[in-house]
Amino acid sequence: MAGAGAARGSLELAGAAGPPGRAEQQPQQPRAAAMSSVASYESLVHAVSGAVGSMTAMTVFFPLDTARLRLQVDEKRKSKTTPAVLLEIIKEEGLLAPYRGWFPVISSLCCSNFVYFYTFNSLKALWVKGQHSTTGKDLVLGVVAGVVNVLLTTPLWVVNTRLKLQGAKFRNEDIVPTNYRGIIDAFHQIVRDEGVLALWNGTFPSLLLVFNPAIQFMFYEGFKRKLLKKQLQLTSLDAFVIGAIAKAVATTLTYPLQTVQSILRFGRHRLNPENRTLGSLRNVLYLLQQRVRRFGLVGLYKGLEAKLLQTVLTAALMFLVYEKLTAATFTVMGLKHSRRH
């Protein structure tokens, strides 16, 4: 960015002293600077670090996510705690069952976090322009990055949700089993049997849920700014703790919508089959009402323990790996890490 600023300054001086033709080039410079902010090496480093961090963390805590998903989707499962659900899954489906669907989930997560981190940091470079960010700006950037991420990656999440639950022993007879041979076959069968738009099942609650990572990043960046006023860089413990706190707050606030999102992505319930495409507001409200009617208000938070355990630990480890990998990359490449926090 320093190079873009120097180029801009030299052109302005040349425009003032040189021929009129040079001055006409000035309006193009902000556009070039904007493009360099969006397509910067720094944004790419953040995106790759975020993707690697998320894949590492999800691999470590993947069984917890399996337990969470079963509790959300299989409403008639009697076991309520994460250890009990995992023991049931291992006993009934085998030792490796908690890792069923690992590859499609990791693939989706890699793409999703790459898109999110790249969008967030590119827009931040464009908007903040070397100055300190604010909580309000972080929230807006998080929402925009979340919307872009949802629209681009929802088909991947629909497929990986179904693959992850394929072969599971459900207690709920309303669930229709699937038979996919892999990611490509799942895409093919969904498009053939349900239409292209079925790949975007759950998009509406997903768009509402962009506030989850937005709230998470808002708290994380806020805590980070406060710590960096007192020290030069975050320690491993700092990154882990503030990542955990930020994710715990975001998850608790948005959990009922996450449950609806999982059910719509799975898309195999016989309940309310009409007008299911894209998870409209009508279907979101319907599923929330059904949940409350069957289990009370507590039913909206069924599986929260497993979700908090999984998502908080995963987010904490992800931010730890992300911060360390980003710092190491900038150090190795001999680049100065931008401090626009």
Side-chain angles (χ1 to χ4, degrees):
M1 291 305 293
R8 188 162 53 243
S10 63
L11 275 173
E12 285 170 357
L13 289 173
R22 288 286 186 91
E24 294 172 0
Q25 297 176 15
Q26 291 182 28
Q28 297 178 3
Q29 298 310 308
R31 187 183 305 170
M35 287 303 297
S36 66
S37 296
V38 172
S40 69
Y41 177 79
E42 185 175 339
S43 295
L44 183 62
V45 171
H46 282 291
V48 172
S49 299
V52 172
S54 63
M55 288 191 297
T56 303
M58 179 57 82
T59 299
V60 173
F61 298 115
F62 194 81
L64 299 178
D65 190 58
T66 298
R68 181 271 311 173
L69 191 58
R70 296 292 181 91
L71 285 167
Q72 284 183 325
V73 173
D74 193 1
E75 298 168 345
K76 296 187 179 179
R77 185 176 288 274
K78 292 181 181 179
S79 297
K80 306 295 183 185
T81 64
T82 302
V85 171
L86 285 174
L87 286 174
E88 274 186 359
I89 293 172
I90 292 172
K91 183 179 178 180
E92 296 175 2
E93 303 170 33
L95 188 62
L96 295 179
Y99 274 92
R100 180 186 289 120
W102 172 84
F103 181 74
V105 169
I106 290 298
S107 303
S108 302
L109 194 65
C110 178
C111 296
S112 181
N113 276 276
F114 183 91
V115 170
Y116 191 92
F117 275 85
Y118 192 92
T119 305
F120 183 89
N121 285 284
S122 295
L123 293 177
K124 192 170 186 177
L126 192 61
W127 191 6
V128 176
K129 295 178 181 176
Q131 301 175 356
H132 290 286
S133 186
T134 64
T135 301
K137 285 182 179 179
D138 288 337
L139 183 62
V140 172
L141 290 169
V143 169
V144 175
V147 170
V148 173
N149 180 37
V150 165
L151 295 178
L152 291 178
T153 65
T154 289
L156 290 172
W157 288 110
V158 168
V159 167
N160 89 56
T161 299
R162 298 196 185 190
L163 287 172
K164 190 172 182 181
L165 291 170
Q166 183 167 275
K169 296 183 183 300
F170 293 111
R171 308 296 193 274
N172 189 351
E173 62 274 8
D174 291 322
I175 295 176
V176 182
T178 60
N179 184 26
Y180 304 129
R181 292 189 296 273
I183 296 176
I184 303 301
D185 184 58
F187 272 109
H188 174 71
Q189 286 196 42
I190 292 171
V191 172
R192 182 193 65 196
D193 299 336
E194 304 171 47
V196 174
L197 291 181
L199 292 172
W200 276 269
N201 277 349
T203 297
F204 187 81
S206 295
L207 286 173
L208 295 178
L209 278 169
V210 299
F211 284 100
N212 181 293
I215 292 170
Q216 174 188 346
F217 267 73
M218 179 183 73
F219 275 93
Y220 182 82
E221 293 288 326
F223 288 138
K224 185 176 175 179
R225 274 194 296 273
K226 288 186 179 297
L227 286 173
L228 289 177
K229 288 178 181 178
K230 304 175 184 177
Q231 56 199 59
L232 289 176
Q233 62 182 17
L234 294 182
T235 66
S236 298
L237 182 61
D238 290 335
F240 191 89
V241 170
I242 65 176
I245 294 172
K247 191 61 176 180
V249 173
T251 298
T252 303
L253 291 175
T254 59
Y255 188 76
L257 280 174
Q258 291 184 53
T259 299
V260 170
Q261 178 193 56
S262 294
I263 293 171
L264 287 170
R265 280 176 174 173
F266 185 41
R268 309 305 294 175
H269 287 71
R270 292 190 177 94
L271 300 173
N272 193 34
E274 70 279 356
N275 193 30
R276 192 172 56 201
T277 302
L278 294 182
S280 65
L281 177 60
R282 180 172 153 188
N283 287 319
V284 171
L285 294 176
Y286 172 84
L287 288 168
L288 288 173
Q289 288 170 359
Q290 287 294 309
R291 202 83 175 179
V292 172
R293 191 176 300 163
R294 291 182 177 186
F295 308 107
L297 288 174
V298 179
L300 295 176
Y301 287 88
K302 186 179 180 185
L304 178 61
E305 174 218 358
K307 179 64 177 177
L308 277 176
L309 188 60
Q310 175 262 325
T311 198
V312 168
L313 291 174
T314 300
L317 183 56
M318 179 201 74
F319 277 116
L320 171 58
V321 174
Y322 161 71
E323 291 289 350
K324 293 304 176 183
L325 188 56
T326 302
T329 303
F330 283 122
T331 301
V332 169
M333 298 303 294
L335 296 174
K336 184 179 178 182
H337 187 8
S338 174
R339 295 290 301 275
R340 49 173 200 278
H341 296 295

